[in-house]
Amino acid sequence: MARYIMFQGTGSGVGKSLITAGFCRMFARKGIRVAPFKAQNMSLNSGVTPFGEEIGRAQMLQARAALIDPDSRMNPILLKPQGDCMSQVIVRGKIWETHEAYEYYQYKKFLWEKVVESMNSLAEEYDLICIEGAGSPAEINLREQDIVNMSVARYAQVPVFLIGDIEKGGVFAQLYGTWALMIQEERELLRGFIINKFRGNYAILEPGLKEIEKLTQIPVVGVVPYSRFQLEDEDSMTEKIENSYKLPKTADIQVGIIRLPHISNFTDFDPLTNEPDVEIQYIFPDENLSKFDVIMLPGSKNTTRDLQWLQKFNFQERLESYINNGGVLLGVCGGYQMLGESIIDIDGNEDYQGEMDGLRIIPMKTFFEKEKTLKTLQGCLAKAEHISVKGYEIHQGKGFIQQAYEPLFNLNLGNRIEPEGIVINNQIFGTYLHGLFDDGSFRRYFVNLLRKRKGLGTISAVSPSWQEMVEEELDRLADFLETCLDIERIESLMENF
């Protein structure tokens, strides 16, 4: 019979995802068969499992931390916001329906059945399930609709550890207020507090730790110092986007990434931060483009709405001027579609029905379909077979290029090779492949291409793959948590539950 541990938070962004990932790696290194689980996730960053299922990036990372393949049972319900309180609902890795919040809650019985079915199935295969909550269990207006926090804990009688973020301020009020708003049955499942992102002198904090334990009779099982890890973020409101504005621009190659309102899978660009000669900045479309060596247009969960948003800034004219002055352009997934001649959505799969003009940089028409393309892929650069690439596709539109073209990649599809993407004059690039920069060889090829255009010498050294770096970071995360949390006490609280 599987054991459980659950990490809930006093709010969003307190560190639940990373701490859960750290515990997955920690237990996996002990030889325990561990699997992550998050009943319901709301995120625009998703990934594709080896089974062609779509789940949240956080659970993809946690599965990697657990040294297992991800599957849709680990995140049975995924909500992908599309604007105006509408979300696309992914159930067990496939599109189910699109709903606004009020309608969504009417389907609680069906969704809860999927949650229970998934959790029970994992429990049959693994020794330990590391569960992540969502938001806060103190959202009392949603208690009756909850299928991700205390409903999960009560169903499986799971020991819960509550995480508070001291950097936000008022951490003791966060912890006490959450505890106070729990009903008695829920408090009985609460086994410990974790304070995250601490900076400063521990001695100053200590009186508060004693007081919160006295008030609640719940032990503080650790204080986690503030630290940075190069691991994927779940949400678009991420520090890396905000902080990119504050970094001094000193590297040889400057990358500008358009910060779309519905930006998704911006983790595609994280590996570029591993290159010593590259700096990236998330920018708005009305900023000065000329200072960047390449402009990247990322994926979007609402491609047509983001395209309309870009057009308000006369972005087509601005891009044409940028390209005419020698700038390089890369569009990925939704960004690739926007660069085409038009987008046709007959069924209104997003919130626009009909044909919409694109930015007309690439001779391509995109047709949206109800079924979503979900697959993992690997291959090579079309013009250089020794430069490998690996990633995944996740999109509803299919692009049809209107003239002869040079493909960007050649991808392996069983017993055949399929060209993918487009290259125009070695200056304009488009692709559906997420994760294209994960492999160090293509990443360095692309950066060297930018260096050549700028008159700089190329760099031959290839950085490690992003996945190798992620493995090192997951081990570092597990080591870090072992030093600042009372792991023996946590395990004892689990065992004596």
Side-chain angles (χ1 to χ4, degrees):
M1 182 177 177
R3 295 182 298 148
Y4 299 90
I5 183 171
M6 187 172 194
F7 298 98
Q8 296 191 27
T10 57
S12 296
V14 301
K16 298 185 294 292
S17 295
L18 279 190
I19 287 178
T20 302
F23 271 83
C24 283
R25 177 53 59 96
M26 202 185 305
F27 286 121
R29 293 194 305 194
K30 296 180 180 181
I32 297 171
R33 295 180 305 160
V34 56
F37 180 76
K38 184 167 184 173
Q40 174 187 282
N41 201 346
M42 178 176 281
S43 177
L44 289 177
N45 277 335
S46 59
V48 180
T49 74
F51 311 102
E53 305 161 322
E54 184 179 5
I55 66 172
R57 295 295 299 178
Q59 282 62 63
M60 297 283 290
L61 178 69
Q62 290 161 3
R64 187 175 188 88
L67 304 176
I68 59 175
D69 286 333
D71 71 62
S72 64
R73 294 175 299 171
M74 299 168 187
N75 177 208
I77 313 296
L78 172 63
L79 306 179
K80 303 192 76 173
Q82 291 190 174
D84 290 341
C85 300
M86 300 292 290
S87 288
Q88 185 180 80
V89 185
I90 311 296
V91 177
R92 285 302 302 268
K94 303 295 182 183
I95 292 177
W96 177 54
E97 294 178 359
T98 298
H99 285 290
E100 63 179 30
Y102 180 76
E103 293 175 331
Y104 172 75
Y105 292 130
Q106 295 179 17
Y107 296 96
K108 177 185 174 180
K109 183 177 184 295
F110 165 76
L111 298 168
W112 177 246
E113 287 172 354
K114 296 298 180 183
V115 168
V116 170
E117 175 188 290
S118 299
M119 186 163 54
N120 288 346
S121 178
L122 288 172
E124 291 176 359
E125 294 183 24
Y126 295 94
D127 302 320
L128 176 66
I129 312 298
C130 281
I131 305 174
E132 179 188 345
S136 163
E139 293 164 351
I140 53 178
N141 57 311
L142 300 177
R143 179 173 282 147
E144 294 303 314
Q145 286 77 36
D146 173 45
I147 61 170
V148 63
N149 286 313
M150 278 302 178
S151 290
V152 171
R154 290 199 306 269
Y155 170 79
Q157 289 297 290
V158 178
V160 174
F161 294 85
L162 183 67
I163 303 167
D165 179 359
I166 196 169
E167 191 177 45
K168 295 179 185 292
V171 71
F172 295 115
Q174 295 172 33
L175 296 171
Y176 183 80
T178 303
W179 172 86
L181 288 173
M182 288 179 174
I183 61 176
Q184 185 58 35
E185 182 184 2
E186 294 170 343
R187 289 182 190 175
E188 291 172 358
L189 298 173
L190 190 55
R191 283 293 177 268
F193 294 136
I194 295 172
I195 293 178
N196 196 20
K197 305 180 188 178
F198 176 65
R199 310 177 196 238
N201 190 315
Y202 184 85
I204 297 174
L205 187 66
E206 199 167 15
L209 304 180
K210 293 177 180 178
E211 184 68 15
I212 196 71
E213 290 184 342
K214 180 180 177 182
L215 288 168
T216 63
Q217 299 301 301
I218 304 294
V220 177
V221 296
V223 175
V224 182
Y226 185 91
S227 186
R228 290 184 178 274
F229 294 89
Q230 284 188 290
L231 294 168
E232 295 170 341
D233 292 304
E234 180 172 274
D235 303 307
S236 59
M237 295 304 292
T238 177
E239 288 181 4
K240 71 167 66 105
I241 291 180
E242 302 297 341
N243 289 340
S244 73
Y245 287 92
K246 305 172 185 176
L247 297 173
K249 305 303 168 188
T250 58
D252 291 336
I253 301 301
Q254 298 296 322
V255 177
I257 303 168
I258 303 300
R259 185 177 177 177
L260 300 170
H262 302 92
I263 187 171
S264 68
N265 291 71
F266 58 88
T267 49
D268 287 340
F269 310 108
D270 286 358
L272 290 168
T273 63
N274 221 28
E275 297 301 318
D277 54 337
V278 174
E279 286 175 340
I280 66 175
Q281 183 178 345
Y282 288 85
I283 63 173
F284 289 98
D286 57 346
E287 294 186 43
N288 178 14
L289 304 183
S290 64
K291 63 183 179 180
F292 296 101
D293 301 297
V294 59
I295 296 297
M296 297 185 177
L297 200 57
S300 167
K301 187 60 200 73
N302 198 318
T303 307
T304 53
R305 183 170 291 194
D306 282 353
L307 178 56
Q308 290 174 319
W309 180 76
L310 288 174
Q311 290 167 339
K312 292 178 182 178
F313 296 94
N314 296 317
F315 195 60
Q316 179 180 340
E317 293 81 358
R318 302 188 77 240
L319 268 186
E320 288 173 347
S321 174
Y322 172 77
I323 293 166
N324 290 336
N325 285 302
V328 177
L329 178 63
L330 169 67
V332 180
C333 197
Y336 179 28
Q337 294 172 342
M338 292 182 214
L339 293 177
E341 293 180 358
S342 65
I343 294 174
I344 299 112
D345 190 354
I346 301 301
D347 299 315
N349 291 283
E350 294 188 339
D351 55 4
Y352 179 89
Q353 192 167 7
E355 183 170 4
M356 177 183 295
D357 285 342
L359 298 172
R360 297 184 174 275
I361 305 295
I362 291 174
M364 179 179 74
K365 287 182 178 288
T366 298
F367 293 82
F368 272 26
E369 299 178 340
K370 289 185 180 295
E371 292 298 317
K372 185 178 289 190
T373 297
L374 297 167
K375 52 187 175 182
T376 56
L377 298 158
Q378 57 183 356
C380 64
L381 188 68
K383 62 174 61 177
E385 292 184 0
H386 66 284
I387 297 177
S388 59
V389 69
K390 183 186 295 185
Y392 61 97
E393 288 187 15
I394 178 169
H395 55 91
Q396 282 179 266
K398 288 188 177 180
F400 295 88
I401 298 174
Q402 307 297 298
Q403 62 190 50
Y405 68 97
E406 177 188 352
L408 178 55
F409 300 121
N410 283 330
L411 300 178
N412 300 322
L413 294 179
N415 58 357
R416 64 186 175 89
I417 301 296
E418 181 174 288
E420 197 282 329
I422 189 172
V423 180
I424 301 175
N425 299 327
N426 229 26
Q427 184 182 11
I428 299 167
F429 301 82
T431 179
Y432 275 115
L433 195 67
H434 292 292
L436 69 164
F437 292 119
D438 285 6
D439 192 290
S441 60
F442 175 73
R443 189 166 69 238
R444 178 39 55 186
Y445 163 84
F446 192 83
V447 174
N448 276 340
L449 182 148
L450 298 173
R451 293 183 67 88
K452 289 178 185 177
R453 293 185 67 90
K454 202 172 182 179
L456 300 173
T458 60
I459 296 175
S460 59
V462 174
S463 301
S465 77
W466 187 247
Q467 298 308 321
E468 290 175 319
M469 191 280 299
V470 167
E471 284 296 320
E472 293 177 0
E473 287 292 275
L474 286 169
D475 280 329
R476 188 169 74 89
L477 173 62
D479 292 341
F480 177 69
L481 293 179
E482 285 179 339
T483 63
C484 53
L485 297 177
D486 191 340
I487 302 300
E488 287 187 8
R489 190 173 190 185
I490 290 172
E491 289 185 321
S492 175
L493 290 166
M494 290 170 59
E495 296 293 342
N496 297 326
F497 190 71

